[in-house]
Coordinates of all heavy atoms in Angstrom, one line a residue:
M1328 N -118.8 -2.7 111.2 CA -120.0 -2.6 110.3 C -119.6 -2.6 108.9 O -120.1 -3.4 108.0 CB -120.8 -1.3 110.7 CG -122.0 -1.1 109.8 SD -123.1 -2.4 109.6 CE -123.9 -2.0 108.1
L1329 N -118.6 -1.7 108.5 CA -118.2 -1.6 107.1 C -117.4 -2.9 106.7 O -117.5 -3.4 105.6 CB -117.3 -0.4 106.9 CG -118.0 0.9 107.0 CD1 -117.0 2.1 106.9 CD2 -119.1 1.1 105.9
G1330 N -116.7 -3.5 107.7 CA -116.0 -4.7 107.5 C -117.0 -5.8 107.2 O -116.7 -6.7 106.3
V1331 N -118.1 -5.9 107.9 CA -119.1 -6.9 107.7 C -119.7 -6.7 106.4 O -120.0 -7.7 105.7 CB -120.1 -6.9 108.9 CG1 -121.3 -7.8 108.6 CG2 -119.5 -7.2 110.2
L1332 N -120.0 -5.5 106.0 CA -120.6 -5.2 104.7 C -119.6 -5.7 103.6 O -120.1 -6.4 102.6 CB -120.8 -3.7 104.5 CG -121.4 -3.2 103.2 CD1 -122.9 -3.7 103.2 CD2 -121.3 -1.7 103.1
A1333 N -118.3 -5.4 103.7 CA -117.4 -5.9 102.7 C -117.4 -7.4 102.7 O -117.3 -8.0 101.6 CB -116.0 -5.4 103.1
L1334 N -117.4 -8.0 103.9 CA -117.5 -9.5 104.0 C -118.7 -10.1 103.3 O -118.6 -11.1 102.6 CB -117.5 -9.9 105.5 CG -117.0 -11.3 105.8 CD1 -115.5 -11.4 105.6 CD2 -117.4 -11.6 107.2
A1335 N -119.8 -9.4 103.5 CA -121.1 -9.9 102.9 C -121.0 -9.8 101.3 O -121.4 -10.7 100.6 CB -122.2 -9.0 103.4
V1336 N -120.4 -8.7 100.9 CA -120.2 -8.5 99.4 C -119.3 -9.6 98.9 O -119.6 -10.2 97.8 CB -119.7 -7.1 99.1 CG1 -119.3 -7.0 97.6 CG2 -120.7 -6.0 99.4
L1337 N -118.2 -9.8 99.6 CA -117.3 -10.9 99.2 C -117.9 -12.2 99.1 O -117.7 -13.0 98.2 CB -116.1 -10.9 100.1 CG -115.0 -9.8 99.8 CD1 -113.9 -9.8 100.9 CD2 -114.4 -9.9 98.5
L1338 N -118.8 -12.5 100.2 CA -119.5 -13.8 100.2 C -120.4 -13.9 99.0 O -120.4 -15.0 98.4 CB -120.3 -13.8 101.5 CG -121.1 -15.1 101.7 CD1 -120.2 -16.2 102.2 CD2 -122.2 -14.9 102.8
V1339 N -121.1 -12.9 98.7 CA -122.0 -12.9 97.5 C -121.2 -13.2 96.2 O -121.5 -14.0 95.4 CB -122.8 -11.6 97.4 CG1 -123.5 -11.5 96.0 CG2 -123.8 -11.5 98.5
L1340 N -120.1 -12.4 96.1 CA -119.3 -12.6 94.9 C -118.7 -14.0 94.8 O -118.6 -14.6 93.7 CB -118.1 -11.6 94.9 CG -118.6 -10.1 94.7 CD1 -117.4 -9.2 94.8 CD2 -119.2 -10.0 93.3
A1341 N -118.2 -14.5 95.9 CA -117.6 -15.9 96.0 C -118.7 -16.9 95.6 O -118.4 -17.8 94.7 CB -117.1 -16.2 97.3
V1342 N -119.9 -16.9 96.2 CA -120.9 -17.8 95.9 C -121.3 -17.7 94.4 O -121.6 -18.7 93.7 CB -122.1 -17.7 96.9 CG1 -123.2 -18.6 96.5 CG2 -121.6 -18.0 98.3
D1343 N -121.4 -16.4 94.0 CA -121.8 -16.1 92.6 C -120.8 -16.8 91.6 O -121.3 -17.4 90.6 CB -121.7 -14.6 92.4 CG -122.7 -14.2 91.3 OD1 -123.9 -14.3 91.6 OD2 -122.3 -13.7 90.3
R1344 N -119.6 -16.8 92.0 CA -118.5 -17.4 91.1 C -118.7 -18.9 91.0 O -118.5 -19.5 90.0 CB -117.2 -17.0 91.7 CG -116.0 -17.4 90.8 CD -114.7 -16.8 91.2 NE -114.0 -16.1 90.1 CZ -113.0 -15.3 90.3 NH1 -112.6 -15.0 91.5 NH2 -112.4 -14.8 89.2
F1345 N -118.9 -19.5 92.2 CA -118.9 -21.0 92.3 C -120.3 -21.6 91.8 O -120.3 -22.7 91.2 CB -118.6 -21.5 93.7 CG -117.1 -21.2 94.0 CD1 -116.8 -20.4 95.0 CD2 -116.1 -21.9 93.3 CE1 -115.4 -20.1 95.3 CE2 -114.8 -21.7 93.6 CZ -114.4 -20.8 94.6
Y1346 N -121.4 -21.0 92.2 CA -122.7 -21.6 92.0 C -123.5 -20.8 91.0 O -124.7 -21.2 90.8 CB -123.4 -21.7 93.3 CG -122.7 -22.5 94.3 CD1 -122.0 -21.9 95.4 CD2 -122.7 -23.9 94.2 CE1 -121.4 -22.6 96.3 CE2 -122.0 -24.7 95.2 CZ -121.3 -24.0 96.2 OH -120.7 -24.8 97.1
G1347 N -123.0 -19.8 90.4 CA -123.8 -19.0 89.5 C -124.7 -18.0 90.4 O -124.5 -17.9 91.6
H1348 N -125.6 -17.3 89.7 CA -126.4 -16.3 90.4 C -127.3 -17.0 91.5 O -128.0 -18.0 91.1 CB -127.3 -15.5 89.4 CG -127.1 -14.1 89.6 ND1 -125.8 -13.5 89.6 CD2 -127.9 -13.1 89.7 CE1 -126.0 -12.2 89.7 NE2 -127.2 -11.9 89.8
S1349 N -127.2 -16.6 92.7 CA -127.9 -17.2 93.8 C -128.6 -16.2 94.7 O -128.0 -15.3 95.2 CB -126.9 -18.1 94.6 OG -127.6 -18.6 95.7
T1350 N -129.9 -16.5 94.8 CA -130.6 -15.6 95.8 C -130.3 -16.0 97.2 O -130.5 -15.2 98.1 CB -132.1 -15.7 95.5 OG1 -132.5 -17.0 95.4 CG2 -132.5 -15.0 94.2
I1351 N -129.9 -17.2 97.4 CA -129.5 -17.7 98.7 C -128.4 -16.9 99.3 O -128.4 -16.5 100.5 CB -129.2 -19.2 98.7 CG1 -130.5 -20.0 98.3 CG2 -128.7 -19.7 100.1 CD1 -130.2 -21.5 98.0
A1352 N -127.4 -16.6 98.4 CA -126.2 -15.9 98.9 C -126.7 -14.5 99.3 O -126.2 -13.9 100.3 CB -125.2 -15.8 97.8
F1353 N -127.6 -13.9 98.5 CA -128.1 -12.5 98.8 C -128.8 -12.6 100.2 O -128.7 -11.7 101.0 CB -129.0 -12.0 97.7 CG -128.2 -11.4 96.6 CD1 -128.1 -12.1 95.4 CD2 -127.6 -10.2 96.8 CE1 -127.3 -11.5 94.4 CE2 -126.8 -9.6 95.7 CZ -126.7 -10.3 94.5
A1354 N -129.6 -13.6 100.4 CA -130.4 -13.8 101.6 C -129.4 -13.9 102.8 O -129.6 -13.3 103.8 CB -131.3 -15.0 101.5
A1355 N -128.4 -14.7 102.6 CA -127.4 -14.9 103.7 C -126.7 -13.6 104.0 O -126.5 -13.3 105.2 CB -126.4 -16.0 103.2
A1356 N -126.4 -12.8 103.0 CA -125.7 -11.5 103.2 C -126.6 -10.6 103.9 O -126.2 -9.9 104.8 CB -125.3 -11.0 101.8
I1357 N -127.9 -10.6 103.6 CA -128.8 -9.7 104.2 C -129.0 -10.1 105.7 O -129.0 -9.2 106.6 CB -130.2 -9.7 103.5 CG1 -130.0 -9.0 102.1 CG2 -131.3 -9.0 104.3 CD1 -131.2 -9.2 101.2
I1358 N -129.1 -11.4 106.0 CA -129.2 -11.9 107.3 C -127.9 -11.5 108.1 O -128.0 -11.0 109.3 CB -129.4 -13.4 107.3 CG1 -130.8 -13.7 106.8 CG2 -129.2 -14.0 108.8 CD1 -131.0 -15.2 106.5
M1359 N -126.8 -11.6 107.5 CA -125.5 -11.2 108.2 C -125.6 -9.8 108.6 O -125.1 -9.4 109.6 CB -124.3 -11.5 107.3 CG -123.8 -12.9 107.4 SD -122.4 -13.2 106.2 CE -121.2 -12.1 106.9
L1360 N -126.1 -8.9 107.6 CA -126.1 -7.5 107.9 C -127.1 -7.2 109.0 O -126.8 -6.3 109.9 CB -126.6 -6.8 106.6 CG -125.5 -6.7 105.5 CD1 -126.1 -6.0 104.3 CD2 -124.3 -5.9 106.0
I1361 N -128.2 -7.9 109.1 CA -129.2 -7.7 110.1 C -128.6 -8.1 111.5 O -128.7 -7.3 112.5 CB -130.5 -8.4 109.9 CG1 -131.2 -7.8 108.6 CG2 -131.4 -8.4 111.1 CD1 -132.4 -8.7 108.2
V1362 N -127.9 -9.2 111.5 CA -127.2 -9.7 112.7 C -126.2 -8.7 113.2 O -126.0 -8.4 114.4 CB -126.6 -11.1 112.5 CG1 -125.7 -11.5 113.7 CG2 -127.8 -12.1 112.4
A1363 N -125.4 -8.2 112.2 CA -124.3 -7.2 112.5 C -124.9 -5.9 113.0 O -124.3 -5.2 113.8 CB -123.5 -6.9 111.3
N1364 N -126.1 -5.6 112.6 CA -126.8 -4.3 113.0 C -127.5 -4.4 114.3 O -127.8 -3.4 114.9 CB -127.8 -3.9 111.9 CG -127.1 -3.2 110.8 OD1 -126.1 -2.4 111.0 ND2 -127.5 -3.4 109.5
A1365 N -127.7 -5.6 114.8 CA -128.5 -5.8 116.0 C -127.9 -5.1 117.2 O -128.7 -4.4 117.9 CB -128.7 -7.3 116.3
P1366 N -126.6 -5.1 117.4 CA -126.0 -4.4 118.6 C -126.3 -2.9 118.4 O -126.4 -2.2 119.4 CB -124.5 -4.7 118.5 CG -124.4 -6.0 117.7 CD -125.5 -5.9 116.7
M1367 N -126.3 -2.4 117.2 CA -126.5 -1.0 117.0 C -127.8 -0.5 117.6 O -127.9 0.6 118.1 CB -126.5 -0.6 115.5 CG -125.2 -0.5 114.9 SD -125.3 -0.3 113.1 CE -126.2 1.2 113.0
L1368 N -128.8 -1.4 117.6 CA -130.2 -1.0 118.0 C -130.2 -0.8 119.5 O -131.2 -0.2 120.0 CB -131.2 -2.0 117.6 CG -131.3 -2.2 116.0 CD1 -132.2 -3.3 115.7 CD2 -131.6 -0.9 115.3
R1369 N -129.2 -1.3 120.2 CA -129.2 -1.1 121.7 C -128.5 0.2 122.1 O -128.5 0.6 123.3 CB -128.5 -2.3 122.3 CG -129.3 -3.6 122.3 CD -128.8 -4.6 123.3 NE -127.5 -5.0 123.0 CZ -127.2 -6.1 122.3 NH1 -128.2 -6.8 121.8 NH2 -126.0 -6.5 122.1
Y1370 N -127.9 0.9 121.1 CA -127.2 2.2 121.4 C -128.2 3.3 121.5 O -128.3 4.2 120.6 CB -126.2 2.5 120.4 CG -124.8 1.8 120.6 CD1 -124.7 0.4 120.4 CD2 -123.7 2.5 121.1 CE1 -123.5 -0.2 120.7 CE2 -122.5 1.9 121.3 CZ -122.4 0.5 121.1 OH -121.2 -0.1 121.3
N1371 N -129.0 3.3 122.5 CA -130.1 4.3 122.6 C -129.7 5.3 123.7 O -129.0 5.0 124.7 CB -131.4 3.7 122.9 CG -132.0 2.9 121.8 OD1 -131.8 3.3 120.6 ND2 -132.7 1.9 122.1
C1372 N -130.1 6.6 123.5 CA -129.9 7.6 124.5 C -130.7 7.2 125.8 O -131.8 6.9 125.7 CB -130.4 8.9 124.0 SG -130.4 10.3 125.2
P1373 N -130.0 7.2 126.9 CA -130.6 6.8 128.2 C -131.6 7.8 128.7 O -132.5 7.5 129.5 CB -129.5 6.6 129.1 CG -128.4 7.4 128.6 CD -128.5 7.5 127.1
R1374 N -131.5 9.0 128.2 CA -132.4 10.1 128.6 C -133.7 10.1 127.8 O -134.8 10.1 128.4 CB -131.8 11.4 128.6 CG -132.6 12.5 129.4 CD -132.0 13.9 129.1 NE -130.8 14.2 129.8 CZ -130.0 15.2 129.5 NH1 -130.4 16.1 128.6 NH2 -128.9 15.4 130.2
C1375 N -133.6 10.2 126.5 CA -134.8 10.3 125.6 C -135.1 9.1 124.8 O -136.1 9.0 124.1 CB -134.7 11.6 124.8 SG -133.4 11.5 123.5
G1376 N -134.1 8.1 124.7 CA -134.4 6.9 124.0 C -134.1 7.0 122.5 O -134.3 6.0 121.8
K1377 N -133.5 8.1 122.0 CA -133.2 8.2 120.6 C -132.0 7.3 120.3 O -131.0 7.3 121.0 CB -133.0 9.7 120.2 CG -132.7 9.8 118.7 CD -132.6 11.3 118.4 CE -132.0 11.5 117.0 NZ -132.9 10.9 116.0
N1378 N -132.0 6.6 119.2 CA -130.9 5.8 118.8 C -129.7 6.6 118.4 O -129.8 7.6 117.7 CB -131.3 4.9 117.6 CG -130.3 3.8 117.4 OD1 -129.2 4.0 116.8 ND2 -130.6 2.6 117.8
A1379 N -128.5 6.2 118.9 CA -127.3 7.0 118.7 C -126.8 6.9 117.3 O -126.0 7.8 116.9 CB -126.2 6.5 119.7
F1380 N -127.3 6.0 116.5 CA -126.8 5.9 115.1 C -127.6 6.7 114.1 O -127.3 6.8 113.0 CB -126.8 4.4 114.7 CG -125.6 3.6 115.3 CD1 -125.8 3.0 116.6 CD2 -124.4 3.6 114.7 CE1 -124.8 2.3 117.1 CE2 -123.4 2.9 115.3 CZ -123.5 2.2 116.5
F1381 N -128.7 7.2 114.6 CA -129.5 8.0 113.7 C -129.1 9.5 113.9 O -129.1 10.1 115.0 CB -131.0 7.9 114.1 CG -131.6 6.6 113.5 CD1 -131.5 5.4 114.3 CD2 -132.1 6.5 112.3 CE1 -132.0 4.2 113.8 CE2 -132.6 5.3 111.8 CZ -132.6 4.2 112.5
R1382 N -128.8 10.1 112.7 CA -128.4 11.5 112.7 C -129.4 12.2 111.8 O -129.2 12.2 110.6 CB -127.0 11.7 112.2 CG -126.4 13.0 112.5 CD -124.9 13.0 112.3 NE -124.2 12.3 113.3 CZ -122.9 12.1 113.4 NH1 -122.1 12.6 112.4 NH2 -122.3 11.4 114.3
G1383 N -130.5 12.7 112.4 CA -131.6 13.2 111.6 C -132.2 12.0 110.8 O -132.4 11.0 111.4
P1384 N -132.4 12.2 109.5 CA -133.0 11.1 108.7 C -131.9 10.0 108.3 O -132.2 9.0 107.7 CB -133.5 11.8 107.5 CG -132.6 13.0 107.4 CD -132.2 13.4 108.8
F1385 N -130.6 10.3 108.6 CA -129.6 9.4 108.2 C -129.1 8.4 109.3 O -129.2 8.7 110.5 CB -128.3 10.2 107.7 CG -128.7 11.2 106.7 CD1 -128.7 12.6 107.0 CD2 -128.9 10.8 105.4 CE1 -129.0 13.5 106.0 CE2 -129.2 11.7 104.4 CZ -129.3 13.1 104.7
V1386 N -128.7 7.2 108.9 CA -128.1 6.3 109.8 C -126.6 6.3 109.5 O -126.2 6.1 108.4 CB -128.7 4.9 109.5 CG1 -128.0 3.9 110.5 CG2 -130.2 4.9 109.7
V1387 N -125.9 6.5 110.6 CA -124.4 6.6 110.4 C -123.8 5.3 111.0 O -124.4 4.7 111.9 CB -123.8 7.8 111.2 CG1 -124.2 9.1 110.5 CG2 -124.3 7.8 112.6
P1388 N -122.7 4.8 110.4 CA -122.1 3.6 110.9 C -121.3 3.7 112.2 O -120.7 2.8 112.7 CB -121.1 3.2 109.8 CG -120.8 4.5 109.1 CD -122.0 5.4 109.3
W1389 N -121.3 4.9 112.8 CA -120.7 5.0 114.1 C -121.7 5.8 115.0 O -122.5 6.6 114.5 CB -119.4 5.8 114.0 CG -119.5 7.1 113.4 CD1 -119.7 8.3 114.1 CD2 -119.5 7.4 112.0 NE1 -119.8 9.3 113.1 CE2 -119.6 8.8 111.9 CE3 -119.3 6.7 110.8 CZ2 -119.6 9.5 110.6 CZ3 -119.3 7.3 109.6 CH2 -119.5 8.7 109.5
P1390 N -121.7 5.6 116.3 CA -122.6 6.3 117.2 C -122.3 7.8 117.3 O -121.1 8.2 117.3 CB -122.5 5.6 118.5 CG -121.1 5.0 118.5 CD -120.8 4.7 117.1
N1391 N -123.3 8.6 117.5 CA -123.1 10.0 117.8 C -122.4 10.2 119.1 O -122.5 9.4 120.0 CB -124.5 10.7 117.8 CG -125.1 10.8 116.5 OD1 -124.5 10.9 115.4 ND2 -126.4 10.8 116.5
R1392 N -121.6 11.3 119.2 CA -120.9 11.6 120.4 C -121.9 12.2 121.4 O -121.7 12.0 122.6 CB -119.8 12.6 120.2 CG -118.7 12.0 119.2 CD -117.5 13.0 119.2 NE -116.7 12.8 120.4 CZ -115.7 11.9 120.4 NH1 -115.3 11.3 119.4 NH2 -115.0 11.8 121.6
S1393 N -122.9 12.9 120.9 CA -123.9 13.4 121.8 C -125.3 13.2 121.1 O -125.4 13.1 119.9 CB -123.7 14.9 122.0 OG -123.7 15.6 120.8
C1394 N -126.3 13.1 122.0 CA -127.6 12.8 121.5 C -128.1 13.9 120.5 O -128.0 15.1 120.9 CB -128.6 12.6 122.6 SG -130.3 12.3 122.1
A1395 N -128.6 13.5 119.4 CA -129.1 14.5 118.4 C -130.4 15.2 118.9 O -130.7 16.2 118.4 CB -129.3 13.8 117.0
R1396 N -131.1 14.6 119.8 CA -132.4 15.1 120.2 C -132.2 16.0 121.5 O -132.7 17.1 121.6 CB -133.4 14.0 120.5 CG -134.8 14.5 120.7 CD -135.7 13.4 121.1 NE -136.1 12.6 120.0 CZ -136.7 11.4 120.1 NH1 -137.0 10.9 121.3 NH2 -137.0 10.7 119.0
C1397 N -131.6 15.4 122.5 CA -131.6 16.1 123.8 C -130.2 16.6 124.2 O -130.0 17.3 125.2 CB -132.1 15.2 124.9 SG -131.1 13.9 125.4
G1398 N -129.2 16.2 123.4 CA -127.8 16.8 123.6 C -127.0 16.1 124.7 O -125.9 16.6 125.0
L1399 N -127.5 15.0 125.2 CA -126.8 14.3 126.3 C -125.5 13.8 125.7 O -125.4 13.3 124.6 CB -127.6 13.2 126.8 CG -127.1 12.4 128.0 CD1 -127.0 13.2 129.2 CD2 -127.9 11.1 128.2
D1400 N -124.4 13.9 126.5 CA -123.1 13.4 126.0 C -123.0 11.9 126.1 O -123.0 11.3 127.2 CB -122.0 14.0 126.9 CG -120.6 13.7 126.4 OD1 -120.5 13.1 125.2 OD2 -119.6 13.9 127.0
L1401 N -123.1 11.3 124.9 CA -123.3 9.8 124.9 C -121.9 9.1 125.1 O -121.9 7.9 125.4 CB -123.8 9.3 123.6 CG -125.3 9.8 123.3 CD1 -125.7 9.4 121.9 CD2 -126.2 9.3 124.3
D1402 N -120.8 9.8 124.9 CA -119.5 9.2 125.1 C -119.3 8.7 126.6 O -118.6 7.8 126.8 CB -118.4 10.3 124.8 CG -117.8 10.0 123.4 OD1 -118.3 9.0 122.8 OD2 -116.9 10.7 123.0
T1403 N -120.0 9.4 127.5 CA -119.8 9.1 128.9 C -120.8 8.0 129.3 O -120.5 7.3 130.3 CB -120.0 10.3 129.8 OG1 -121.3 10.8 129.5 CG2 -119.0 11.4 129.4
V1404 N -121.9 7.8 128.6 CA -122.9 6.8 129.1 C -122.9 5.6 128.2 O -123.4 4.5 128.7 CB -124.3 7.5 129.1 CG1 -124.3 8.5 130.2 CG2 -124.6 8.1 127.8
L1405 N -122.4 5.6 127.0 CA -122.4 4.4 126.2 C -120.9 3.9 126.0 O -120.0 4.7 126.0 CB -122.9 4.7 124.8 CG -124.4 5.1 124.7 CD1 -124.8 5.5 123.3 CD2 -125.3 4.0 125.2
P1406 N -120.8 2.6 125.9 CA -119.4 2.1 125.6 C -118.9 2.6 124.3 O -119.5 2.3 123.3 CB -119.6 0.6 125.6 CG -121.1 0.4 125.4 CD -121.8 1.5 125.9
S1407 N -117.9 3.4 124.3 CA -117.4 4.0 123.1 C -116.7 3.0 122.2 O -116.0 2.2 122.7 CB -116.5 5.2 123.4 OG -115.4 4.7 124.2
Q1408 N -116.9 3.2 120.9 CA -116.3 2.3 120.0 C -114.8 2.7 119.7 O -114.6 3.9 119.6 CB -117.0 2.2 118.7 CG -118.3 1.4 118.8 CD -118.9 1.2 117.4 OE1 -118.6 1.9 116.5 NE2 -119.7 0.1 117.3
K1409 N -114.0 1.8 119.6 CA -112.6 2.1 119.2 C -112.6 2.4 117.7 O -113.1 1.7 116.9 CB -111.6 1.0 119.5 CG -111.6 0.6 121.0 CD -110.7 1.6 121.7 CE -110.8 1.3 123.2 NZ -112.0 1.9 123.9
R1410 N -112.0 3.6 117.3 CA -112.0 3.9 115.9 C -110.5 3.9 115.4 O -109.7 4.3 116.2 CB -112.6 5.3 115.7 CG -114.1 5.3 116.0 CD -114.6 6.7 115.9 NE -115.8 6.8 116.8 CZ -116.2 8.0 117.3 NH1 -115.7 9.1 116.9 NH2 -117.3 8.0 118.1
Ligands
LIG1461 ZN1 -131.2 12.0 124.1

């Protein structure tokens, strides 16, 4: 996720350098971010359905180890990310 964000920023900077200010580059970066975020939306708690990336009002770039709502251990039910 953070790598994709850096990639998107680099893409914007690169296009900015070659073509001047471009909203297309920004649009492409935003689309990339949405595509990169799509798998995150499937990381839901199997018991209560709460997304594992939401920690209260905050969105974290890594899934919670346990569900913030019902306390289910998500490490055992979700494919754990290598960190
Ligand atoms: Zn839960």
